[in-house]
Amino acid sequence: MQRMSSSSSSSESLVPPDLSTGSSFAFFQSLADELEDSADSVDTRLYIERNRELAYEKLMYDYFVEEPRWGEHVFRHRFRMSRRLFLKIVHDIEESFEYFKDGVDARGRHSFKAIHKCTSAIKQLSTGEPPDNFDDNFYMAERTSRESVEHFCDAVIALYKREYLRAMTSHDVAVVTQAHENRHHIPGMLGSLDCTHIEWRSCPRQLKGQYTRGDHRVPTIMIECVAS
């Protein structure tokens, strides 16, 4: 009798709870809540639709069409080089490196153009801003912008190292010193070592706005140390 009672008690413990009872409903409700919380904790990749075609058209309209929105002066200020030099670099890189050639992804959409990737790279190098800072204008993800800088630097070194990353010749020294003299009016200047701002205490009242920067709050002049 004792053996029968123990087997009957074990069989009763394996019987699923009655769904009609309130305790069973609470049990399954708590189980569903746990599963939902665990599903929310899983890190899923968020896809953001970026209109590459629209960004490319805007970029061309702003800088690279026959009559762009921003002229040569603004281009040189923002890119730290002339438009002609930039387009030459883009053309050389696109011809030699697979990363910058026009491609098609798995959905049949064209990838970013070489001029698009090079513009993002130059913007980061010339201003020192983070890769995700140009997403609003270029519609380019942070990872793509970062990869563009890395590939751009490798491409420039591979293409121009032999010609421009070599020891200067006597002719190069003469050209550079003459260019510095024409621009800075300092004869024999080969390069700039360092520069700093000092306060101009006797600055005339009418010039204070011209010589005051937001990070100094007082009129300053720049002292530059050059290598002659």
Side-chain angles (χ1 to χ4, degrees):
M1 295 297 292
Q2 292 178 356
R3 183 178 302 174
M4 293 178 61
S5 61
S6 60
S7 61
S8 60
S9 61
S10 61
S11 61
E12 289 176 358
S13 63
L14 298 177
V15 176
D18 188 3
L19 297 179
S20 61
T21 60
S23 59
S24 300
F25 177 79
F27 168 76
F28 284 111
Q29 183 65 36
S30 61
L31 181 61
D33 294 339
E34 292 179 1
L35 293 176
E36 185 176 359
D37 294 340
S38 62
D40 294 339
S41 62
V42 177
D43 185 15
T44 59
R45 183 178 179 181
L46 178 63
Y47 176 76
I48 300 177
E49 177 64 31
R50 291 177 170 87
N51 195 334
R52 305 171 188 171
E53 295 78 11
L54 179 61
Y56 174 75
E57 293 177 0
K58 182 178 182 299
L59 178 64
M60 297 299 294
Y61 171 76
D62 286 344
Y63 298 108
F64 302 108
V65 294
E66 186 175 353
E67 295 183 0
R69 177 183 180 186
W70 306 109
E72 179 66 28
H73 177 74
V74 177
F75 186 94
R76 182 180 290 272
H77 174 72
R78 295 180 177 177
F79 285 74
R80 304 300 192 268
M81 66 179 69
S82 65
R83 183 185 291 108
R84 180 188 60 82
L85 176 60
F86 178 77
L87 292 176
K88 181 183 182 303
I89 295 175
V90 173
H91 180 265
D92 294 344
I93 290 178
E94 186 177 8
E95 283 190 341
S96 304
F97 296 91
E98 189 67 27
Y99 178 80
F100 292 93
K101 294 183 179 179
D102 191 13
V104 181
D105 60 14
R107 297 176 298 168
R109 292 186 59 191
H110 287 277
S111 61
F112 287 104
K113 305 288 185 180
I115 195 171
H116 206 150
K117 295 178 180 178
C118 291
T119 301
S120 176
I122 286 293
K123 283 285 190 177
Q124 296 175 67
L125 294 173
S126 61
T127 61
E129 299 189 25
D132 63 340
N133 200 49
F134 304 102
D135 196 4
D136 294 341
N137 295 328
F138 295 159
Y139 298 167
M140 184 179 292
E142 177 183 0
R143 177 180 177 181
T144 307
S145 298
R146 186 168 57 249
E147 290 178 350
S148 299
V149 173
E150 295 174 356
H151 285 275
F152 180 84
C153 294
D154 293 339
V156 169
I157 293 174
L159 287 174
Y160 308 113
K161 178 180 180 179
R162 179 174 298 181
E163 181 176 359
Y164 295 103
L165 297 181
R166 57 174 172 79
M168 297 180 64
T169 64
S170 57
H171 175 71
D172 295 333
V173 173
V175 172
V176 172
T177 53
Q178 185 62 41
H180 280 302
E181 183 176 356
N182 295 336
R183 181 169 183 177
H184 302 286
H185 308 289
I186 302 178
M189 176 181 176
L190 185 60
S192 174
L193 296 181
D194 197 6
C195 59
T196 183
H197 287 265
I198 63 171
E199 182 180 357
W200 188 6
R201 296 184 178 179
S202 59
C203 177
R205 184 185 301 272
Q206 65 271 18
L207 297 180
K208 284 188 176 182
Q210 181 178 352
Y211 286 88
T212 302
R213 289 176 34 165
D215 54 344
H216 292 289
R217 301 181 182 278
V218 293
T220 60
I221 57 176
M222 179 181 292
I223 295 182
E224 187 171 14
C225 179
V226 301
S228 62

